[in-house]
Amino acid sequence: MEFLGTLVIILIATSLFGHLASRVGIPAVIGQLFVGIILGPALLNWVHANDFIHIFSEIGVIILMFIAGLESDLTLLKKYLRPSIIVALLGVLIPMVLIYPVGIVFGLTQFESLFLSVIFAATSVSISVAVMKELNLLDSKSGSTVLGAAVVDDVLAVVLLSIMVSLIGTKAGTDTQIPLALTFLEQLIYFAAIYFVMRFIAPLLARLGTKLLNPVGPTIMAMILCFGMAYIANLIGLSAVIGAFFAGIAIAQTHVAHEVDQSIEPIGYAIFIPVFFVSIGLSMSLAGVEHDLLLIIVLTIVATLTKLLGAGSGAKWAGFSSNEAYLVGAGMVSRGEMALIIAQIGYQSKLISDDYYSAIITAIILTTLLAPLLLKHAARHIND
């Protein structure tokens, strides 16, 4: 039962640091992220990224994005679909173009530099979702655009990763090529099926839940839909959080939406979501950081600015005000678990060498830590 002791330490630390962060005027998420850095290999080395942490963090981010979908306005998401696509495209293109030369300058091969640009083209809005929820901006024009752009960004990241893995398979003469046409077809079918889930399956599950002789029947049905859609999304190459997000939107259209929201938030924020935030910090290690310090600093600055300017200019192009564009750009800065997953897959596929892997992971963590601060600053301008 050692994992229970670890869970107790995590919950005590995240509660304390989240409270202290809020007291000094920064998002509580920052405090929870720092818990992972303090308790993990970077400093105290008390908690390690084991199977327990991995499973709980996966459930945590799925529940977090399910809640985001549950509390999103579908009308706003549809209204800002075009800006979302523009934001995602420029938010991927500009980091890819400008991070590639950074890799070349620091001695990475052309192929490694290309993969480096793919890593930092990715966005993970799970951190931004938590901050926007805290700032009451999730169900706003900018918040809806960030959520929509995250879906498009995720699809683009999967496509780019598939191409890179296919290329390395071709180079090595191995049969690792991914049938991209089949992947695209599966993903298109998945997105098409979302309509039927919203129109028929979610209402049916909601009715079944209310008929169950169980006080939390609707919540059980909602979780079945959430985990089911997340699993299928992962199965066809998408991020599981995309499935969870759309499951939340589907349940939001039913009569049990408020009941499910009231039931699932305490579970998520009391146990699973804090473990997810801590898991991000656990990925950071300070071993050998002095040798890669310049690379880490440059990568962090360029990765932050390119996503901020890329996504922000996309929002500006779509007709947003300068302050709204700044908020959208800040909401897309976080690389989080999406970039960590891509980096890990690339590392296993020999797309990046051991010499640079730790520096890349550290830069991903730093951009993830900066994102909530930028969001808080941007939100202040929106509210002025």
Side-chain angles (χ1 to χ4, degrees):
M1 302 294 282
E2 184 182 338
F3 74 92
L4 287 179
T6 302
L7 183 58
V8 168
I9 292 171
I10 288 173
L11 294 181
I12 290 172
T14 51
S15 298
L16 177 62
F17 277 76
H19 173 76
L20 291 174
S22 297
R23 284 292 298 270
V24 298
I26 61 176
V29 173
I30 288 286
Q32 295 180 336
L33 287 167
F34 268 112
V35 168
I37 296 171
I38 294 167
L39 296 182
L43 292 175
L44 297 178
N45 202 29
W46 289 354
V47 178
H48 302 93
N50 53 27
D51 289 342
F52 153 69
I53 296 288
H54 176 71
I55 292 169
F56 267 53
S57 65
E58 287 287 312
I59 295 172
V61 71
I62 285 169
I63 291 177
L64 178 62
M65 292 307 291
F66 174 76
I67 293 171
L70 197 59
E71 298 182 358
S72 296
D73 187 328
L74 184 57
T75 306
L76 278 178
L77 286 172
K78 288 178 180 177
K79 183 178 179 181
Y80 297 114
L81 178 61
R82 178 180 167 274
S84 295
I85 293 172
I86 297 171
V87 166
L89 289 174
L90 286 179
V92 166
L93 181 63
I94 291 179
M96 284 201 69
V97 169
L98 296 180
I99 287 175
Y100 174 81
V102 171
I104 296 295
V105 167
F106 279 92
L108 279 74
T109 66
Q110 289 187 343
F111 204 80
E112 286 177 330
S113 300
L114 183 59
F115 182 66
L116 183 69
S117 68
V118 171
I119 292 172
F120 286 98
T123 292
S124 177
V125 295
S126 49
I127 304 294
S128 299
V129 161
V131 178
M132 287 191 293
K133 182 174 169 58
E134 189 178 329
L135 299 172
N136 295 317
L137 290 169
L138 191 59
D139 196 11
S140 66
K141 177 181 177 181
S142 301
S144 297
T145 301
V146 169
L147 286 169
V151 175
V152 180
D153 192 291
D154 188 73
V155 174
L156 292 174
V158 169
V159 170
L160 291 170
L161 180 61
S162 299
I163 292 170
M164 292 296 291
V165 174
S166 295
L167 286 174
I168 197 67
T170 304
K171 282 178 64 181
T174 57
D175 188 22
T176 59
Q177 290 195 12
I178 296 172
L180 291 177
L182 179 59
T183 300
F184 295 154
L185 179 61
E186 289 174 342
Q187 292 174 3
L188 283 173
I189 293 170
Y190 183 83
F191 284 113
I194 288 170
Y195 169 79
F196 293 97
V197 170
M198 290 184 184
R199 185 75 177 82
F200 303 109
I201 298 175
L204 175 62
L205 289 175
R207 287 194 299 271
L208 286 173
T210 55
K211 291 178 180 178
L212 284 176
L213 298 178
N214 189 314
V216 290
T219 303
I220 293 171
M221 292 295 107
M223 287 294 92
I224 289 171
L225 183 66
C226 171
F227 293 136
M229 288 182 68
Y231 173 73
I232 295 170
N234 183 71
L235 211 59
I236 60 171
L238 288 169
S239 171
V241 301
I242 296 299
F245 176 66
F246 280 112
I249 290 176
I251 293 295
Q253 311 312 307
T254 69
H255 68 284
V256 299
H258 180 70
E259 181 183 345
V260 171
D261 193 23
Q262 293 291 97
S263 298
I264 199 62
E265 271 205 18
I267 299 171
Y269 282 97
I271 302 175
F272 296 104
I273 294 173
V275 177
F276 161 65
F277 291 138
V278 168
S279 73
I280 298 288
L282 291 179
S283 302
M284 190 170 179
S285 173
L286 300 180
V289 71
E290 65 278 3
H291 302 299
D292 299 315
L293 189 58
L294 185 59
L295 173 59
I296 292 168
I297 292 171
V298 172
L299 258 184
T300 303
I301 293 171
V302 175
T304 302
L305 290 178
T306 52
K307 189 64 84 168
L308 185 66
L309 295 174
S313 61
K316 187 70 175 171
W317 186 12
F320 285 47
S321 69
S322 296
N323 287 341
E324 288 170 335
Y326 176 29
L327 183 66
V328 170
M332 299 293 286
V333 164
S334 174
R335 297 327 199 267
E337 79 283 353
M338 193 65 199
L340 290 171
I341 290 167
I342 292 174
Q344 179 65 19
I345 292 171
Y347 180 67
Q348 291 170 348
S349 302
K350 309 299 181 186
L351 292 171
I352 203 83
S353 70
D354 296 345
D355 299 336
Y356 304 106
Y357 183 67
S358 294
I360 291 168
I361 295 299
T362 304
I364 291 170
I365 300 296
L366 291 175
T367 59
T368 305
L369 287 169
L370 284 170
L373 298 175
L374 288 169
L375 263 175
K376 183 73 181 286
H377 185 260
R380 197 176 301 128
H381 287 277
I382 289 287
N383 295 326
D384 287 344

